[in-house]
């Protein structure tokens, strides 16, 4: 070990600071005593030196690791590839939606873009159809009993026009309008068009014994069906800002289906 120069505060090893010489702390500033051996001369005693602390190998390694961590933190995450559109899964063939309509639904990603994400990928079961259950709104209500989830209502009129609605809630008898902003109307004219909620009012769906109504504004309904499920009507309304779904405002129903989540 080297000898601390006289008149200095207790010295310490510079190896702990990454330095190679032995230094002492005088009362004023930093001093350097160069002691190559015991009894070394102190010709440099009066000189003042400024030390620059060099990092040790351990500190270099730690500094490198910290730099890598910072680079990892700031590196942008790779963009996720867009998911493929989810095709509608019908448990059985539809009498209303033909092959061309189903191709449009797939091509325009009706399920993935317009239906709520919570129903994407699920299978749809036919809960009601006029060819099997008859032309009766009461029969439709009965078939809806026990279902609380979304309903996809599709119909074809006597002119061959296809249109319908998606309801976030089951179709049922009600004293007033109910439903959520997920509800929308759609039509094939001949291309698929979807009319979503505008936020202007909350007249989504109302069912009574004589009629079923979806969307309302200025005394007109976006879609209206009578108690026999034979006559219906469609008008532009504030709820969905929709076009007339059929070719004419008044129409006669040829086939109607109600699909629910399996």
């Amino acid at each position: 070990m080297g000898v601390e120069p006289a008149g200095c505060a207790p010295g310490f090893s510079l190896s702990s600071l990454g330095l190679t010489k032995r230094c002492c702390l005088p009362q004023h500033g930093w001093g350097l005593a160069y002691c190559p051996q015991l009894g070394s001369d102190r010709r440099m005693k009066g000189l003042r030196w400024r030390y620059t602390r060099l990092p040790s190998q351990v500190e270099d390694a730690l500094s490198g690791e910290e730099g890598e961590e910072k680079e990892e933190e700031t590196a942008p995450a790779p963009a996720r590839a867009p998911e493929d559109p989810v095709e509608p899964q019908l448990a059985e063939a539809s009498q209303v939606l033909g092959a061309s309509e189903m191709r449009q639904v797939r091509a325009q990603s009706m399920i993935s873009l317009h239906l709520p994400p919570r129903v994407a990928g699920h299978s749809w079961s036919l809960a009601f159809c006029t060819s099997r259950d008859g032309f009766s709104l009461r029969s439709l209500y009965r078939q809806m009993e026990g279902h609380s989830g979304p309903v996809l209502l599709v119909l074809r009129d006597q002119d061959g026009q296809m249109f319908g609605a998606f309801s976030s809630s089951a179709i049922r008898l009600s004293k007033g309008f109910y439903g959520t902003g997920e509800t929308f109307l759609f039509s094939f004219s001949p291309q698929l068009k979807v009319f979503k909620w505008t936020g202007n009012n909350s007249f989504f769906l109302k069912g009574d014994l004589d009629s079923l109504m979806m969307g309302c504004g200025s005394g007109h309904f976006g879609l209206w069906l009578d108690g026999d499920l034979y006559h219906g009507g469609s008008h532009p309304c504030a709820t969905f800002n929709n076009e007339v779904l059929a070719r004419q405002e008044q129409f006669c129903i040829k086939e109607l289906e109600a699909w629910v989540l399996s």
Side-chain angles (χ1 to χ4, degrees):
M1 296 178 60
V3 178
E4 294 175 355
C8 295
F12 53 87
S13 174
L14 294 183
S15 62
S16 63
L17 298 178
L19 301 176
T20 59
K21 304 299 182 183
R22 182 175 178 82
C23 73
C24 61
L25 292 174
Q27 294 180 351
H28 302 287
W30 286 82
L32 171 66
Y34 181 69
C35 305
Q37 58 185 7
L38 286 175
S40 64
D41 76 60
R42 301 182 181 178
R43 287 173 297 178
M44 301 176 68
K45 179 179 179 181
L47 298 178
R48 296 289 180 178
W49 294 78
R50 178 176 295 176
Y51 279 94
T52 300
R53 184 171 177 269
L54 301 176
S56 66
Q57 293 181 353
V58 175
E59 291 173 328
D60 287 340
L62 292 176
S63 176
E65 292 177 0
E66 290 177 0
E68 291 177 0
E69 290 178 358
K70 291 181 180 179
E71 291 178 359
E72 291 177 359
E73 291 177 358
T74 58
R80 295 181 59 185
E83 297 181 357
D84 295 333
V86 180
E87 296 184 359
Q89 302 294 326
L90 302 182
E92 55 188 285
S94 171
Q95 300 299 317
V96 176
L97 296 174
S100 61
E101 289 75 35
M102 291 302 296
R103 282 194 297 270
Q104 286 190 53
V105 169
R106 292 187 179 97
Q108 300 192 32
S109 307
M110 178 180 173
I111 291 293
S112 60
L113 296 181
H114 303 297
L115 294 179
R118 59 190 172 87
V119 307
H122 290 274
S123 178
W124 293 81
S125 298
L126 186 62
F128 173 87
C129 68
T130 50
S131 60
R132 181 190 66 192
D133 304 303
F135 286 78
S136 170
L137 184 57
R138 296 192 183 198
S139 177
L140 173 60
Y141 292 145
R142 284 194 297 269
Q143 296 299 110
M144 287 289 102
E145 292 178 358
H147 297 285
S148 59
V151 178
L152 189 63
L153 190 71
V154 294
L155 61 95
R156 184 196 301 269
D157 65 11
Q158 298 288 355
D159 294 328
Q161 182 72 10
M162 287 163 288
F163 49 92
F166 170 81
S167 172
S168 58
S169 305
I171 297 174
R172 55 180 173 81
L173 286 168
S174 63
K175 294 181 179 180
F177 282 91
Y178 66 96
T180 71
E182 295 175 332
T183 306
F184 61 81
L185 303 178
F186 64 89
S187 69
F188 293 90
S189 57
Q191 299 300 316
L192 173 63
K193 293 183 179 180
V194 176
F195 306 98
K196 290 195 167 186
W197 179 44
T198 62
N200 292 330
N201 61 47
S202 300
F203 301 143
F204 300 113
L205 177 64
K206 182 179 183 297
D208 56 37
L209 295 176
D210 299 322
S211 61
L212 177 67
M213 297 149 281
M214 302 191 73
C216 185
S218 302
H220 297 291
F221 301 109
L223 179 61
W224 168 85
L225 307 176
D226 71 356
D228 294 329
L229 293 183
Y230 182 69
H231 293 96
S234 176
H235 297 82
C237 71
T239 310
F240 303 111
N241 191 30
N242 59 286
E243 303 173 359
V244 175
L245 303 180
R247 295 178 181 175
Q248 301 178 15
E249 292 182 345
Q250 304 296 323
F251 57 84
C252 294
I253 300 171
K254 182 177 182 180
E255 186 77 35
L256 182 146
E257 296 174 345
W259 296 82
V260 298
L261 288 181
S262 299

